[in-house]
Amino acid sequence: MVQGLVTDTLLTHSSMEQSLPEGFPALQNDTFLRAARGEECRHVPVWCMRQAGRYLPEFRETRAGQDFFASCRSPEICCELTLQPLRRFPLDAAIIFSDILVIPQALGMEIVMEPGRGPVFPNPLQSPEDLQKLKPAVDVSQDLGYVFQAITLTRHKIAGKVPLIGFTGAPWTLMTYMIEGGGSATMSKAKRWLYQHPAASHQLLQQLTDVIVDYLVGQVAAGAQALQVFESHAGCLGPQQFADFSLPYLRDISRRVKEKLKTEGREEVPMIVFAKDAHYALEDLSHSGYEVVGLDWTIRPQEAREKTGRRVTLQGNMDPCALYSSKENIEQVVKNMLDAFGRKAYIANLGHGLYPDMDPEHVGAFIAAVHKYS
Ligand code: CP3
């Protein structure tokens, strides 16, 4: 009886500690953070976009039968899903399980995750008048507090093994989902806004930027040790539209997040910008206030280095589909990639996320090869 009481007290005490964004365990592996800052590292750090995903049987089991956004709202489930890939592989970073679409949700939009189809917005934005339906202001601690709780819990449970990355979708990418109502091959509805309604487009992008800034600062306050901004739909913009509708907001985000962290007396964390298929913008991205520029697989490492100089660390960029090849081939591709990028100011990753039909053993071969050749 007494024993039981003591255990209960201990449990309550430790779960209370795990809900507070302080007293985190000391970090044991800072290789990812060092590389992000361009410092010397013992080995090339490695992580994978979408490392917490359906290619893992344990992920499918934990997610089974649960609505996707219900999982996102449960700090315990997010924590478990984030930790799963770390139990299997010697990764150098974890990324919090969540989704970029929690921001449109916080702005009041309904989203359903349809298995096999992906995210669907039953009532997408159809005309500039629809902007009035969005919540005029988002209190991130109220509306997205569940993400912050997931980050705090996970940072405790990770026990200092590796740093925890927080993330957001970039304004343009979120705008495409809000207008297209889901995935799209052309993004023509969202691009139509840029040409027909430039002022309303800027208004929406600015509103998203304001939420994103608070959201990222909140993630750091909750325990995130690095931040990645996903501009996944940069590829459908040309150089001019990127310069007009994406880059200014990406710059605003890095500048304001850093400023706010400083004002609040928090430690600055490295920021990563991943603008998929935006080769034409690499030089600009290397001047946009991010320590790391993420690369998709369609750019040659040497070319990316030439365009970004020594200003930033590069992250990427193996074609995820190379994981469908033999383990021997994966090793060779990784060796070539490391030789081409060099081993300094470099974080190994894929050029985009893992797909559900990928073999976890081949993911393991990718990670092992980075360790072997670095
Ligand atoms: O491991 C991680 O990388 C962390 C978790 C993470 C998810 N989504 C979980 C998720 C991250 C970083 C994201 C970001 C995200 N979400 C992006 C940017 C990255 C990219 O892929 O370009 C985008 C565009 C989304 C929007 C989104 N969420 C789509 C298009 C889909 C459906 C895709 C699919 O594979 O079905 C999602 C759902 C989603 N988000 C899943 C996961 C693991 C799969 C659904 C499930 O678990 O049931």
Side-chain angles (χ1 to χ4, degrees):
M1 191 62 195
V2 171
Q3 192 67 43
L5 267 179
V6 169
T7 313
D8 283 352
T9 315
L10 282 175
L11 275 178
T12 314
H13 184 61
S14 84
S15 60
M16 254 171 59
E17 274 185 348
Q18 289 180 352
S19 64
L20 295 176
E22 53 192 41
F24 293 124
L27 184 60
Q28 293 150 30
N29 174 358
D30 65 351
T31 316
F32 165 81
L33 295 179
R34 295 180 62 85
R37 298 194 172 103
E39 296 166 11
E40 287 294 337
C41 298
R42 285 203 189 154
H43 69 272
V44 171
V46 56
W47 69 282
C48 298
M49 289 189 273
R50 287 281 174 97
Q51 64 192 28
R54 284 170 295 175
Y55 73 103
L56 290 177
E58 58 271 34
F59 178 97
R60 297 195 295 269
E61 198 172 305
T62 307
R63 285 268 304 103
Q66 276 256 15
D67 169 65
F68 178 78
F69 289 107
S71 296
C72 290
R73 283 171 185 274
S74 158
E76 288 76 21
I77 290 181
C78 292
C79 175
E80 167 59 21
L81 294 173
T82 304
L83 297 180
Q84 283 175 349
L86 300 183
R87 295 192 191 114
R88 274 192 187 242
F89 310 118
L91 290 156
D92 293 292
I95 180 160
I96 190 67
F97 175 84
S98 186
D99 200 81
I100 62 166
L101 300 177
V102 297
I103 289 186
Q105 244 181 2
L107 283 161
M109 293 190 79
E110 188 194 338
I111 312 169
V112 222
M113 194 61 77
E114 289 191 5
R117 197 168 157 212
V120 176
F121 292 60
N123 304 300
L125 302 177
Q126 285 179 326
S127 70
E129 290 76 62
D130 288 344
L131 293 180
Q132 284 160 23
K133 294 185 194 156
L134 298 177
K135 255 176 111 170
V138 172
D139 175 350
V140 291
S141 53
Q142 192 83 39
D143 301 319
L144 293 160
Y146 62 90
V147 180
F148 302 158
Q149 285 166 24
I151 287 174
T152 302
L153 178 65
T154 307
R155 173 90 185 264
H156 280 290
K157 290 267 167 131
I158 240 174
K161 211 170 152 189
V162 293
L164 179 61
I165 306 170
F167 71 89
T168 182
W172 162 247
T173 296
L174 295 179
M175 174 174 165
T176 62
Y177 278 106
M178 293 163 80
I179 294 174
E180 299 288 340
S184 156
T186 59
M187 306 290 160
S188 58
K189 291 193 182 104
K191 287 185 70 183
R192 177 197 277 256
W193 272 53
L194 304 185
Y195 288 104
Q196 290 187 342
H197 314 299
S201 298
H202 280 299
Q203 186 190 326
L204 175 56
L205 292 164
Q206 189 60 57
Q207 189 175 354
L208 287 163
T209 300
D210 294 345
V211 179
I212 287 167
V213 168
D214 287 348
Y215 183 46
L216 290 178
V217 170
Q219 292 189 41
V220 174
Q225 291 152 291
L227 297 168
Q228 176 153 326
V229 179
F230 285 94
E231 187 70 291
S232 303
H233 296 170
C236 62
L237 298 174
Q240 191 58 53
Q241 281 191 317
F242 185 85
D244 292 343
F245 296 101
S246 172
L247 190 62
Y249 299 98
L250 292 171
R251 281 204 185 113
D252 205 34
I253 290 168
S254 61
R255 184 183 54 79
R256 286 168 60 192
V257 166
K258 282 165 201 271
E259 221 170 67
K260 272 204 163 187
L261 290 176
K262 213 171 182 180
T263 316
E264 290 184 12
R266 298 187 192 283
E267 216 180 308
E268 201 178 277
V269 302
M271 294 181 72
I272 307 165
V273 61
F274 174 63
K276 189 170 175 292
D277 298 321
H279 327 131
Y280 53 78
L282 279 179
E283 186 168 351
D284 285 335
L285 286 168
S286 72
H287 290 287
S288 63
Y290 293 80
E291 285 72 20
V292 183
V293 173
L295 303 170
D296 64 83
W297 66 92
T298 60
I299 183 114
R300 287 188 185 84
Q302 291 90 339
E303 204 178 327
R305 284 284 189 213
E306 278 160 27
K307 289 186 170 162
T308 57
R310 298 194 166 272
R311 292 179 290 280
V312 291
T313 289
L314 294 177
Q315 172 178 281
N317 74 339
M318 191 178 86
D319 178 2
C321 291
L323 293 174
Y324 294 129
S325 71
S326 67
K327 291 184 186 169
E328 294 71 34
N329 188 62
I330 293 170
E331 267 212 7
Q332 193 54 50
V333 174
V334 168
K335 182 174 184 301
N336 294 345
M337 179 170 80
L338 266 60
D339 289 345
F341 276 108
R343 282 146 179 87
K344 192 156 182 259
Y346 175 55
I347 296 164
N349 203 316
L350 305 170
H352 201 197
L354 288 159
Y355 304 141
D357 65 352
M358 285 173 167
D359 183 345
E361 283 201 20
H362 286 216
V363 177
F366 166 73
I367 295 158
V370 174
H371 284 281
K372 178 169 171 183
Y373 293 112
S374 70

